Amino acid sequence: MNTAATVTLYGGNSPNVRKVGILLEELGLDYELRHVGVFTGEQFNPQFLKLNPFGKVPVLVDAALALPLYESGAILFYLAEQHQRFLPIAGAARYDVMKWLMVQMAMVGPMFGQLNHFRLVLRRGSEPYAEGRYAEQAGRIYGELDRQLARRPWIAGDDYSIADMAIYPWALYLENHGFAADQHPALLAWRDRIGTRPAIARSNQRFQEAFAKPSEASRRAATDADLDRFFGRTESVPPADYSNIRRL
Ligand SMILES: N[C@@H](CCC(=O)N[C@@H](CS)C(=O)NCC(=O)O)C(=O)O
């Protein structure tokens, strides 16, 4: 019997990839993880650009689908629909999940991602306007997530859904982003509730085995020029101090 996995997830140890890894485990699918060293530019290899011309992970390749899928929200939506789980099939509950999935893709990911860059990657305080702007945006989002979760057990209602899986890996940054855990009690309780699910432990284990070492090696091997390319830093702006990322 051929037991080769028909689903391949390309990526590394980052929140947008982790959310897909969580769903793959929640669905109990057989899948393969393939590392893409984004710090050293593997996402720009012609072979990878055929999968995602934007040169970003995650990408999901499923033998059952005639095209490679990129954009993590689209991947979650595809898998949930395909397996009819973690996304109600109709009605208001379905659109509530879609709404919160869009909140993650349009707000949580972009704003927290920028805050990661300006607060955690660059030397603290080196870009005060950008850091302040994204901290303000992130604070508003964390606050609303907490208020929402104080009213309902899961982000989109009574059931655990792909919206929870999409937000969870990003919500783990709360404290590192400089926000007080005790001011977000509902968010913390929800985070703990998700954290105890067996699928999370299994996914963490798979990512640890497949991604932790190569992701770390890619980050350590990256030169300043590689990091400039990764972060889209052009010659027209002063050089960046990347000492923080080397300490992470
Ligand atoms: N909106 C995209 C964001 C993907 C993304 O930004 N991926 C990062 C890693 S988490 C990446 O591949 N960066 C490489 C690059 O920009 O060159 C998604 O959710 O899939």
Side-chain angles (χ1 to χ4, degrees):
M1 194 173 76
N2 184 2
T3 52
T6 57
V7 174
T8 303
L9 174 63
Y10 292 81
N13 234 346
S14 68
N16 286 322
V17 184
R18 284 192 71 195
K19 61 176 97 150
V20 180
I22 292 170
L23 179 56
L24 288 168
E25 281 297 337
E26 292 284 5
L27 291 170
L29 297 184
D30 189 18
Y31 61 93
E32 185 191 341
L33 295 176
R34 283 212 198 147
H35 184 257
V36 181
V38 290
F39 292 108
T40 41
E42 283 176 26
Q43 70 277 38
F44 302 116
N45 288 349
Q47 282 308 100
F48 185 76
L49 289 174
K50 279 188 199 151
L51 300 178
N52 181 354
F54 289 103
K56 290 188 186 276
V57 292
V59 170
L60 186 94
V61 174
D62 183 347
L65 188 72
L67 81 165
L69 267 187
Y70 53 87
E71 282 303 319
S72 55
I75 298 172
L76 294 181
F77 179 59
Y78 163 73
L79 288 171
E81 270 220 322
Q82 188 82 347
H83 297 276
Q84 300 206 355
R85 293 193 59 203
F86 306 113
L87 173 66
I89 53 169
R94 177 179 176 87
Y95 299 107
D96 219 354
V97 171
M98 292 304 283
K99 181 183 76 185
W100 283 98
L101 185 60
M102 299 297 157
V103 167
Q104 192 287 312
M105 293 299 292
M107 287 197 272
V108 175
M111 294 302 150
F112 289 17
Q114 295 301 330
L115 188 55
N116 278 355
H117 183 74
F118 290 108
R119 180 161 280 185
L120 302 180
V121 171
L122 296 188
R123 187 170 46 78
R124 189 79 197 266
S126 61
E127 306 275 355
Y129 167 68
E131 192 181 327
R133 165 171 163 73
Y134 294 115
E136 189 279 335
Q137 296 278 325
R140 229 198 278 179
I141 296 167
Y142 280 124
E144 191 47 38
L145 291 174
D146 186 61
R147 277 188 289 281
Q148 185 70 7
L149 288 163
R151 289 195 290 265
R152 52 213 293 194
W154 303 105
I155 198 69
D158 291 335
D159 297 310
Y160 178 59
S161 74
I162 51 173
D164 296 287
M165 295 176 219
I167 294 170
Y168 173 74
W170 285 103
L172 296 173
Y173 284 108
L174 178 80
E175 295 87 341
N176 272 348
H177 279 164
F179 297 96
D182 60 5
Q183 282 171 24
H184 300 82
L187 183 61
L188 249 67
W190 166 87
R191 229 172 51 173
D192 289 348
R193 218 159 45 245
I194 296 182
T196 58
R197 293 179 70 86
I200 299 289
R202 289 198 304 270
S203 172
N204 286 346
Q205 174 77 21
R206 288 286 305 265
F207 271 50
Q208 183 66 24
E209 286 161 11
F211 289 155
K213 278 203 182 119
S215 283
E216 170 81 6
S218 166
R219 191 165 55 76
R220 288 199 184 283
T223 61
D224 276 10
D226 286 331
L227 292 174
D228 281 346
R229 182 164 66 149
F230 176 60
F231 293 123
R233 196 171 184 98
T234 61
E235 283 170 2
S236 60
V237 294
D241 176 345
Y242 289 128
S243 45
N244 270 2
I245 195 168
R246 301 224 150 82
R247 277 198 295 270
L248 281 179

